[in-house]
Amino acid sequence: SFVYTVVMALVLAFASVAAAEEKTYINGIDANYPPFAYVDKDGKPAGFDVDSMNWIAAKMGFKVVHKPMDWDGIVPSLLAKKIDMVCSGMSITDARKKQITFSEPYWTVSQVFVAKKDSKLSVDDVYKGKKKLGVQRGTSEADALQKQAPEKGWNFELRFYDSAPLAIEDVLNGRIDAAGMDILPAEDAAAKKPVKILGTFGEPEDFGVATRNEDTELRGKINEGYKLLMADPYWQQLKDKYLQK
Ligand code: ARG
C-alpha cells in the first residue's frame, strides 16, 4: 500500500499540473446577434457560435469565457488583449485582415434588406430616391454600402446603429425604410416581429474566428477544433437548433 500511495500521489500531482496548464481564452461577442450569439433567459451567453466554441474548447483542452461587448470596438479590444478571439458572426474581410488573422471559414451568409411586413419596397427601390437605410456600426455591410454609394450613384441616407435589433426597431417605428444585415439575424427578426426580408444585396461573406496575428497556437487549436466539430454529429445538431428551419 506504500506503492499505492506513491502512485496515487504522482497521479494527483500530474492531474493538477495538467489542469493548471489549461489556458483560459476570452471570446468577445456581440450578444445582440441571434442566432450566432445572444444572452439567454438566464443571462447566459448562448447561440451557434457560443456553443461551437464551447465544444471546441472542451475538445482541444482550453477554457473559454464569452464576454459581451460593443461590436464597433471589438477589433481594437482584440488588439489591446482585452479579449483573445472573436467568434461571433464576424465576416472575413480584406479590411480586417490588415489588422488580425482569421481562422478557416466555418459558415457563409448572404446579406439582406429588411423592411416592415407591409412595405411595397423592392431591393432596387432601396438604392433609389433618398431612402433611409439602417446598418449596424462597424459591420462589413456598413462599410460596403458606404464605400460603393458614390460610384454606384446610390443616394440613400445611411443611419448607424449599435446592434441589428436597434435598426429593426427603427424599421418598425418608421424612422428608416429598411435595414441591411446578415440573413440569419434578419430571419430571426422576421420570425418574431412584423418585418420581412426584401431580398439580398452585395456578395455572400464567410464567417471566421478573429485572432491576433501572433496567436498561432490558439488559431491552430481553433482550426483543428472546427475540423473535429464538423465531422461530429454535434455539428448537425447545432445547425438544426440555430441555423435551419
Ligand atoms: N457581416 C457583418 C460583419 O462581419 C456582421 C456583423 C454583425 N455581427 C455581429 N456579431 N454583430 O461585419
Side-chain angles (χ1 to χ4, degrees), residues 111-113 121-133 144-145 148-149 152-157 178 198-203:
Q111 299 182 314
V112 299
F113 290 131
L121 287 182
S122 70
V123 168
D124 280 346
D125 294 336
V126 174
Y127 299 111
K128 289 184 284 193
K130 210 71 196 123
K131 298 294 184 305
K132 294 192 187 85
L133 179 59
L145 288 166
Q148 292 175 53
K152 301 238 167 115
W154 299 335
N155 60 357
F156 43 66
E157 174 194 326
L198 298 180
T200 59
F201 70 93
E203 295 297 321

Side-chain angles (χ1 to χ4, degrees), residues 29-33 36-37 49 71 74 86 88-93 96 109 111 136-142 162-164 181-182 185 205-207:
I29 58 167
D30 173 357
N32 292 301
Y33 217 66
F36 287 97
D49 284 337
W71 184 253
I74 212 158
V86 181
S88 181
M90 181 174 273
S91 305
I92 301 173
T93 66
R96 288 179 178 141
V109 289
Q111 299 182 314
Q136 184 182 9
R137 238 179 228 109
T139 58
S140 50
E141 53 271 23
D162 284 336
S163 72
M181 64 187 66
D182 298 327
E205 295 183 342
D206 288 331
F207 281 171

Side-chain angles (χ1 to χ4, degrees), residues 37-101:
Y38 56 94
V39 174
D40 70 13
K41 287 180 211 84
D42 309 319
K44 266 181 52 188
F48 182 77
D49 284 337
V50 168
D51 287 5
S52 295
M53 194 48 69
N54 285 341
W55 189 94
I56 289 169
K59 202 78 176 172
M60 299 305 298
F62 61 89
K63 293 202 167 69
V64 62
V65 174
H66 306 277
K67 186 175 173 190
M69 44 200 315
D70 287 342
W71 184 253
D72 197 28
I74 212 158
V75 170
S77 294
L78 178 61
L79 294 173
K81 304 196 172 180
K82 288 180 185 150
I83 54 175
D84 302 299
M85 67 172 99
V86 181
C87 176
S88 181
M90 181 174 273
S91 305
I92 301 173
T93 66
D94 289 339
R96 288 179 178 141
K97 280 200 278 190
K98 288 183 185 144
Q99 291 188 288
I100 53 180
T101 304

Side-chain angles (χ1 to χ4, degrees), residues 95-224:
R96 288 179 178 141
K97 280 200 278 190
K98 288 183 185 144
Q99 291 188 288
I100 53 180
T101 304
F102 285 94
S103 70
E104 295 299 320
Y106 63 84
W107 198 253
T108 305
V109 289
S110 54
Q111 299 182 314
V112 299
F113 290 131
V114 176
K116 263 190 199 169
K117 200 154 207 158
D118 58 5
S119 168
K120 301 266 176 334
L121 287 182
S122 70
V123 168
D124 280 346
D125 294 336
V126 174
Y127 299 111
K128 289 184 284 193
K130 210 71 196 123
K131 298 294 184 305
K132 294 192 187 85
L133 179 59
V135 285
Q136 184 182 9
R137 238 179 228 109
T139 58
S140 50
E141 53 271 23
D143 264 17
L145 288 166
Q146 210 168 9
K147 265 193 208 114
Q148 292 175 53
E151 70 203 45
K152 301 238 167 115
W154 299 335
N155 60 357
F156 43 66
E157 174 194 326
L158 269 191
R159 297 210 181 162
F160 297 91
Y161 296 87
D162 284 336
S163 72
L166 289 174
I168 297 281
E169 281 314 308
D170 265 9
V171 166
L172 285 169
N173 64 34
R175 283 211 195 93
I176 53 177
D177 300 295
M181 64 187 66
D182 298 327
I183 186 159
L184 282 149
E187 284 175 344
D188 192 82
K192 295 172 182 166
K193 308 246 160 95
V195 294
K196 67 175 178 189
I197 290 173
L198 298 180
T200 59
F201 70 93
E203 295 297 321
E205 295 183 342
D206 288 331
F207 281 171
V209 180
T211 53
R212 285 183 288 274
N213 296 343
E214 66 272 22
D215 284 351
T216 47
E217 186 190 326
L218 173 59
R219 201 156 47 245
K221 286 181 187 169
I222 292 171
N223 281 330
E224 179 62 21

